[in-house]
């Protein structure tokens, strides 16, 4: 019952042009892949691991929440309620999550067990310099790729999915730097596209020159830009996976001696760009445009983090 096709039923399209698949799951495609996978895991946890029935009653769900309250972050439980709600609505069953017992149980769990979000540590410019210096001293094809990865990821403010899916055909080198065209991203599911403009930088902070170095050394001019490299130094054909990249960036951070290495994630470069740009005085509109953020709230969080010392009221007391 908890198979993905049951969670998001197939819609069959007949008499379509040859260029379009005969069976398209439009309902499934309305939700991002990673979100679908998370919802599927949530449904499986509710039904198979914890043994609750589907369709469920409000009492079932309240019992499930109480059972999981000590083991899961309340944000995880809220997402599981969303997955359960979606399952019932798509199956045309009454929504048991829209019930006072469920809502009050969830509110009580939040009040008792609520905790701050685990946020990725921002990679600041000084951190970035340490990472690049560590890689420069290695002088290998791995180091060439990794320098380009870090610098393009940071100065492009790329999401993990954008960085790892990048193809050479999306990169245009021009006199001033490079223009990277993003055909689709997390906030552009309609595929309208966006451009990321990155000018030439200075010395070891130049993402353009480092990407050109990687292109020359890898001899790959088509297909994925960032690829795994085997232990024998062979560049593989496929794109780098998110798991591979997560482990790689943490290994580099540990090797460079960053004190917050265990808090580094694929999001640390994007967060670091916004935080540092704000600290150095870039206007919010420019940060938001470059990072392709749709929500002011997220950008404001990064700006506040970047300027928390400059904007501290304590400074007025020191100057008195």
């Amino acid at each position: 019952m908890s198979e993905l096709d049951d969670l998001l039923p197939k819609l069959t399209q007949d008499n379509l042009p040859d260029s379009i698949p005969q069976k398209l799951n439009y309902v499934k495609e309305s939700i991002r892949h990673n979100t679908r996978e998370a919802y599927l895991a949530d449904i499986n946890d509710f039904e198979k691991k914890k043994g609750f029935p589907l369709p469920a009653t409000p009492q079932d769900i309240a019992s499930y929440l109480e059972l999981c309250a000590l083991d899961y972050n309340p944000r995880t439980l809220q997402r599981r309620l969303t997955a359960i709600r979606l399952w019932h609505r798509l199956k045309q069953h009454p929504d048991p999550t829209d019930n006072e017992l469920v809502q009050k149980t969830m509110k009580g769990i939040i009040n008792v067990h609520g905790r701050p979000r685990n946020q990725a540590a921002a990679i600041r410019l000084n951190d970035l310099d340490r990472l690049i210096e560590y890689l420069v001293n290695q002088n290998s094809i791995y180091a060439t790729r990794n320098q380009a990865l870090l610098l393009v990821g940071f100065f492009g403010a790329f999401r993990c999915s954008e960085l790892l899916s990048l193809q050479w055909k999306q990169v245009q080198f021009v006199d001033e730097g490079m223009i990277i065209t993003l055909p689709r991203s997390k906030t552009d599911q309609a595929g309208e596209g966006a451009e990321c403009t990155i000018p030439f930088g200075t010395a070891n902070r130049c993402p353009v020159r480092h990407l050109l170095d990687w292109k020359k050394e890898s001899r790959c001019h088509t297909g994925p830009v960032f690829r795994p490299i085997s232990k024998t130094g062979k560049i593989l054909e496929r794109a780098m996976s998110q798991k591979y990249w997560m482990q790689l960036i943490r290994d580099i951070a540990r090797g460079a001696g960053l004190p917050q290495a265990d808090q580094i994630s694929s999001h640390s470069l994007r967060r670091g760009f916004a935080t540092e740009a704000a600290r150095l005085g870039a206007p919010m509109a420019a940060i938001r445009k470059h990072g392709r953020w749709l929500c002011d709230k997220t950008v404001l969080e990064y700006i506040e983090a970047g300027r928390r010392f400059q904007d501290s009221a304590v400074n007025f007391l020191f100057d008195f």
Side-chain angles (χ1 to χ4, degrees):
M1 183 176 292
S2 58
E3 293 298 322
L4 187 58
D5 287 342
D6 284 330
L7 177 62
L8 297 167
K10 283 189 176 180
L11 300 181
T12 301
Q13 303 293 318
D14 297 323
N15 301 318
L16 294 173
D18 293 338
S19 60
I20 301 178
Q22 290 298 308
K23 291 185 177 180
L24 294 177
N25 192 339
Y26 288 127
V27 175
K28 187 168 72 173
E29 292 304 323
S30 71
I31 303 173
R32 294 179 64 243
H33 173 75
N34 289 345
T35 304
R36 293 200 307 267
E37 293 299 311
Y39 284 170
L40 176 58
D42 293 338
I43 292 295
N44 282 338
D45 185 83
F46 179 83
E47 183 189 24
K48 292 185 177 180
K49 293 184 180 179
K50 300 300 188 296
F52 288 94
L54 285 173
T57 66
Q59 290 76 20
D60 292 332
I61 297 175
S63 297
Y64 171 75
L65 293 174
E66 291 174 356
L67 180 65
C68 298
L70 294 176
D71 298 327
Y72 296 114
N73 189 308
R75 291 184 184 84
T76 300
L77 293 180
Q78 286 181 310
R79 192 194 66 213
R80 292 196 170 163
L81 284 183
T82 301
I84 293 169
R85 180 184 306 117
L86 177 62
W87 188 96
H88 283 81
R89 289 181 177 178
L90 289 174
K91 291 289 188 176
Q92 299 183 4
H93 292 297
D95 177 10
T97 66
D98 187 20
N99 178 277
E100 187 173 6
L101 173 63
V102 175
Q103 297 300 320
K104 286 194 171 182
T105 301
M106 189 68 244
K107 184 176 180 181
I109 290 172
I110 293 171
N111 289 344
V112 174
H113 302 294
R115 65 194 77 166
R117 287 182 296 172
N118 292 325
Q119 294 185 326
I123 290 179
R124 312 298 286 262
L125 281 171
N126 287 339
D127 298 328
L128 186 65
D129 289 341
R130 287 180 63 176
L131 296 175
I132 298 302
E133 182 180 1
Y134 166 72
L135 293 172
V136 166
N137 292 331
Q138 294 181 6
N139 191 28
S140 68
I141 192 170
Y142 302 95
T144 303
R145 180 202 61 186
N146 294 343
Q147 289 173 75
L149 251 174
L150 290 170
L151 290 167
V152 172
F154 183 93
F155 288 104
F158 287 121
R159 298 176 177 88
C160 178
S161 59
E162 295 171 340
L163 184 63
L164 299 185
S165 65
L166 190 63
Q167 302 277 315
W168 281 115
K169 65 182 179 182
Q170 296 171 238
V171 183
Q172 178 186 6
F173 294 101
V174 294
D175 291 342
E176 300 89 346
M178 63 184 175
I179 301 170
I180 297 177
T181 303
L182 301 174
R184 188 183 297 271
S185 69
K186 177 181 177 181
T187 55
D188 179 30
Q189 291 299 296
E192 294 182 2
E195 286 188 349
C196 177
T197 302
I198 304 177
F200 280 101
T202 57
N204 285 336
R205 282 187 187 172
C206 182
V208 184
R209 292 188 180 90
H210 280 84
L211 188 58
L212 284 167
D213 289 343
W214 166 238
K215 186 175 185 180
K216 179 180 179 180
E217 190 165 347
S218 69
R219 299 180 181 178
C220 296
H221 298 167
T222 61
V225 174
F226 298 115
R227 312 172 184 215
I229 302 174
S230 72
K231 293 181 180 180
T232 60
K234 180 181 178 181
I235 300 173
L236 305 183
E237 294 293 325
R238 65 178 183 272
M240 187 180 294
S241 70
Q242 184 171 346
K243 182 179 179 181
Y244 183 102
W245 170 222
M246 181 75 76
Q247 185 62 51
L248 177 63
I249 193 172
R250 284 184 177 164
D251 287 345
I252 296 171
R254 293 187 187 105
L258 293 192
Q260 75 277 30
D262 290 338
Q263 296 175 277
I264 295 295
S265 79
S266 58
H267 190 65
S268 295
L269 295 171
R270 178 170 167 83
R271 181 181 179 87
F273 167 84
T275 301
E276 288 292 82
R279 180 180 67 84
L280 295 172
M284 188 181 90
I287 297 172
R288 177 178 169 177
K289 179 181 179 182
H290 186 74
R292 304 162 300 284
W293 279 284
L294 295 182
C295 177
D296 283 343
K297 180 181 177 182
T298 303
V299 183
L300 283 171
E301 288 178 2
Y302 296 147
I303 289 176
E304 289 172 359
R307 296 188 55 82
R308 56 189 167 191
F309 285 100
Q310 293 99 314
D311 295 342
S312 173
V314 176
N315 289 321
F316 292 92
L317 305 180
F318 290 150
D319 293 337
F320 179 72

